[in-house]
Amino acid sequence: MFKKIILLFLFSPLFLQGQNSSIRRKTSFGLFVSPELNGMFPDPRIQHSSKARFSFTAGINLNHNITKKVSIISGLGFGIRRYDDIEDGLHFPSDLDPIRGFISTSKIVTNFSYLQTNIPILIKVDVLPRKWFICSGLETSYFFKNDSKSTIHYGDGQKEKLSILNNPAMINFAYVVSSGYIRDVSEKYSVMIQPMAKFYFKDYIIENSVLFSFGIKVSCNFINPRK
């Protein structure tokens, strides 16, 4: 059911567009930067919690109009992904008193950190001519260069650093939805501001968790008109 809903939203911009009798084709490319908050929704059945972490992505954009209002956005991005996982309510020997029993609890805090490249394929629809738009599609991501670390916070205040986790590199996919505003600075340049949300298909970090990302993508595009 979840996949059917995603597919419905993914292709909904095409349904909104309809037919166009005349098409002015235009291709633009440019640069973008996107500050983001990454996090996850852990499985509620386990004693885990998570905090959102700041990350960023930067790269190149490619935009091609296929009708007057519909275009395809792609490109190549490179950035950092960070996630926090907190496993609470743990008991170690330091939490145990021979007479009083368990006197405290401990926790393990894991800071997941990866480098990432991504390639989006998004469908963009203008809802007001050359101004406001909505966008949805899929993004393919490759997580690599794992620099994740764990720390045990014992109930008595002591800390212990654990070795870097050796998670393998992985390909993931995300559903992307966004809306935004585009401003033509001149006949050759435009600026696009695009708040966006991503929800990843694979949990990767913690089993049965949902990875997400919220950010603002700011792009400067160079236009090459073709009539």
Side-chain angles (χ1 to χ4, degrees):
M1 183 64 181
F2 178 69
K3 292 183 178 179
K4 291 181 179 179
I5 294 175
I6 285 181
L7 290 174
L8 177 62
F9 279 101
L10 174 61
F11 293 105
S12 60
L14 292 178
F15 304 146
L16 292 174
Q17 166 59 19
Q19 300 295 323
N20 290 275
S21 57
S22 62
I23 300 173
R24 188 182 70 171
R25 297 188 179 275
K26 179 185 294 184
T27 300
S28 64
F29 67 94
L31 304 176
F32 77 88
V33 62
S34 178
E36 302 168 352
L37 282 177
N38 302 145
M40 63 178 172
F41 301 115
D43 186 339
R45 296 170 296 181
I46 59 178
Q47 244 181 338
H48 285 247
S49 59
S50 180
K51 294 181 180 178
R53 294 287 303 276
F54 175 78
S55 300
F56 78 93
T57 303
I60 57 176
N61 266 341
L62 178 63
N63 183 91
H64 181 71
N65 284 12
I66 56 178
T67 70
K68 283 185 175 180
K69 295 184 178 181
V70 176
S71 58
I72 296 178
I73 297 178
S74 188
L76 177 65
F78 177 84
I80 297 175
R81 285 289 177 272
R82 296 188 178 101
Y83 304 92
D84 273 359
D85 174 60
I86 303 171
E87 188 175 1
D88 214 339
L90 303 177
H91 294 291
F92 292 95
S94 60
D95 301 312
L96 179 63
D97 184 275
I99 299 177
R100 293 181 294 168
F102 288 107
I103 58 175
S104 62
T105 59
S106 302
K107 63 182 179 181
I108 298 178
V109 178
T110 304
N111 306 122
F112 294 95
S113 180
Y114 304 90
L115 293 184
Q116 181 205 42
T117 59
N118 59 64
I119 300 176
I121 301 179
L122 310 178
I123 298 173
K124 169 179 165 288
V125 173
D126 298 330
V127 293
L128 290 176
R130 304 170 67 88
K131 295 290 185 180
W132 299 95
F133 64 87
I134 58 175
C135 193
S136 67
L138 296 178
E139 180 178 276
T140 302
S141 301
Y142 178 64
F143 290 80
F144 65 101
K145 193 173 174 52
N146 184 3
D147 191 26
S148 304
K149 299 179 181 179
S150 290
T151 303
I152 301 177
H153 296 260
Y154 294 104
D156 61 2
Q158 299 295 315
K159 296 181 181 180
E160 180 183 354
K161 299 284 186 179
L162 301 181
S163 60
I164 296 177
L165 302 179
N166 189 27
N167 291 43
M170 188 199 73
I171 294 178
N172 207 340
F173 301 91
Y175 170 65
V176 182
V177 60
S178 69
S179 63
Y181 176 81
I182 187 168
R183 172 82 176 184
D184 290 336
V185 179
S186 69
E187 292 184 356
K188 296 184 178 181
Y189 302 100
S190 67
V191 175
M192 183 168 64
I193 300 176
Q194 183 179 358
M196 60 197 317
K198 304 177 184 179
F199 299 93
Y200 290 88
F201 283 38
K202 298 181 180 180
D203 47 50
Y204 191 34
I205 307 296
I206 301 296
E207 188 175 358
N208 296 322
S209 62
V210 177
L211 303 181
F212 66 85
S213 176
F214 299 109
I216 298 179
K217 182 178 180 181
V218 180
S219 308
C220 179
N221 297 318
F222 309 94
I223 304 171
N224 177 27
R226 291 165 48 195
K227 294 185 179 180

